[in-house]
């Protein structure tokens, strides 16, 4: 028989997805630096969250959907879906938005972006370098790549459609806050690690971690953020706040009986 010509692989062929895994369900809370948004805080649902190192500093990978208000607020990207980049070699321009304290680098190619020293002129990319907020409004605290990761509890599954499916832009974050309050989960302001650093969080989560951005890698429709765990905490039901752990304090191991997993969301028909 005549040999058949080589057929190049069909890259457009549908690839079956991997099997669904049951993953811990997190919410990232961060402050909103944009003056056009009504809310001072944004929260969204995350399941692509995992530790990536053992020794200190503790590093985790957090994957953020590019069009979400939470991702844009965490990275300081003023427009939904806008690419984030800090590498001068892949930056096409450096501009400063009139009336704000942003320095901007626009990405014209994909790749990895690391945070450069804050003192390097024009080298901080899509990242807030100062306070940028509505005139007369009072910021909750720092917006430079910091936030609170909240591990939801099994009783908080009803919050997932609110925080995960409602867009935060154009008043959506305010609606999220109101809907959470209706379900008995009113957002609470807690102190962060820095001076006058405050965040809004959900009460009674299984665990809390304050994180700080270290590096960003493009992940298609997500940005993969490598973050440093600054501090960990648990909910203090007596004082109605987060109790930050110190020294050798450590939480007991968490599993599906004490933390919300995506398998429970499938069983409940939420996803």
């Amino acid at each position: 028989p005549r040999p058949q010509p080589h057929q190049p692989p069909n890259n457009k062929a549908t690839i079956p997805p991997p099997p669904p895994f049951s993953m811990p369900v997190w919410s990232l809370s961060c402050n909103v630096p944009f003056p056009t948004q009504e809310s001072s805080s944004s929260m969204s649902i995350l399941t692509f969250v995992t530790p990536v190192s053992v020794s200190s500093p503790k590093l985790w990978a957090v994957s953020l959907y590019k069009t979400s208000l939470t991702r844009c607020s965490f990275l300081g990207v003023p427009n939904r879906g806008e690419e984030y980049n800090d590498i001068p070699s892949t930056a096409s321009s450096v501009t400063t938005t009139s009336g704000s304290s942003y320095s901007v680098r626009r990405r014209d190619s994909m790749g990895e972006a690391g945070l450069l020293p804050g003192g390097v002129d024009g080298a901080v990319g899509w990242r807030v370098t100062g306070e940028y907020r509505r005139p007369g409004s009072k910021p909750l605290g720092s917006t430079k790549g910091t936030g609170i990761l909240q591990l939801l509890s099994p009783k908080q599954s009803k919050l997932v459609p609110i925080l995960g499916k409602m867009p935060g832009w154009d008043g959506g974050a305010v609606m999220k806050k109101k809907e959470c309050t209706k379900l008995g989960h009113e957002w609470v302001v807690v102190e962060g690690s820095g001076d006058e650093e405050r965040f809004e969080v959900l009460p009674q989560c299984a665990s809390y971690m304050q994180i700080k951005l270290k590096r960003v890698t493009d992940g298609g429709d997500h940005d993969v953020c490598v973050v440093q765990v600054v501090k960990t905490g648990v909910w203090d039901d007596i004082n109605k706040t987060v109790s930050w752990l110190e020294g050798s304090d450590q939480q007991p191991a968490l599993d599906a009986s004490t933390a919300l997993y995506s398998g429970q969301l499938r069983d409940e028909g939420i996803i």
Side-chain angles (χ1 to χ4, degrees), residues 8-215:
N10 183 3
N11 294 328
K12 295 183 179 180
T14 301
I15 300 175
F21 296 95
S22 186
M23 307 290 290
V25 180
W26 301 79
S27 174
L28 174 62
S29 174
C30 60
N31 298 326
V32 177
F34 311 128
T36 57
Q37 301 303 310
E38 298 177 18
S39 176
S40 59
S41 301
S42 179
M43 292 190 196
S44 61
I45 294 296
L46 314 176
T47 54
F48 303 152
V49 178
T50 187
V52 295
S53 72
V54 176
S55 60
S56 295
K58 302 294 186 183
L59 299 180
W60 284 51
V62 178
S63 190
L64 304 176
Y65 193 56
K66 283 186 177 177
T67 60
S68 71
L69 176 62
T70 303
R71 171 261 185 185
C72 291
S73 298
F74 186 68
L75 297 181
V77 179
N79 301 306
R80 69 189 82 184
E82 196 79 59
E83 293 293 350
Y84 176 93
N85 184 43
D86 275 335
I87 299 180
S89 63
T90 59
S92 59
S93 65
V94 178
T95 62
T96 301
T97 305
S98 176
S100 75
S101 299
Y102 280 109
S103 294
V104 174
R105 281 193 183 276
R106 291 189 172 90
R107 172 171 15 205
D108 56 10
S109 64
M110 296 298 200
E112 193 174 75
L115 298 188
L116 300 180
V120 180
D121 183 34
V124 289
W126 281 121
R127 188 156 60 99
V128 178
T129 59
E131 294 177 353
Y132 187 25
R133 59 186 189 276
R134 298 189 309 280
S137 65
K138 185 177 181 179
L140 282 174
S142 172
T143 52
K144 297 181 180 179
T146 61
I148 304 292
L149 271 177
Q150 313 166 94
L151 179 58
L152 301 191
S153 69
K155 295 181 179 180
Q156 293 175 315
S157 62
K158 290 182 172 57
L159 300 180
V160 172
I162 298 171
L163 299 176
K165 297 182 180 181
M166 291 177 59
W169 297 94
D170 304 323
V174 175
M175 288 302 300
K176 288 185 179 186
K177 185 174 182 177
K178 290 180 178 178
E179 292 301 314
C180 287
T181 300
K182 290 179 182 179
L183 294 178
H185 296 273
E186 184 176 1
W187 297 6
V188 178
V189 177
V190 300
E191 301 293 329
S193 61
D195 294 337
E196 299 182 359
E197 192 174 61
R198 298 181 299 160
F199 301 92
E200 287 188 296
V201 301
L202 295 166
Q204 299 178 328
C205 289
S207 185
Y208 300 85
M209 296 193 306
Q210 183 175 350
I211 57 173
K212 181 179 180 181
L213 181 65
K214 300 295 289 183
R215 181 171 289 275

Side-chain angles (χ1 to χ4, degrees), residues 154-158 260 262-271:
K155 295 181 179 180
Q156 293 175 315
S157 62
K158 290 182 172 57
L260 180 62
S262 57
Q264 177 182 333
L265 300 180
R266 292 189 190 92
D267 293 341
E268 296 179 3
I270 295 176
I271 60 173

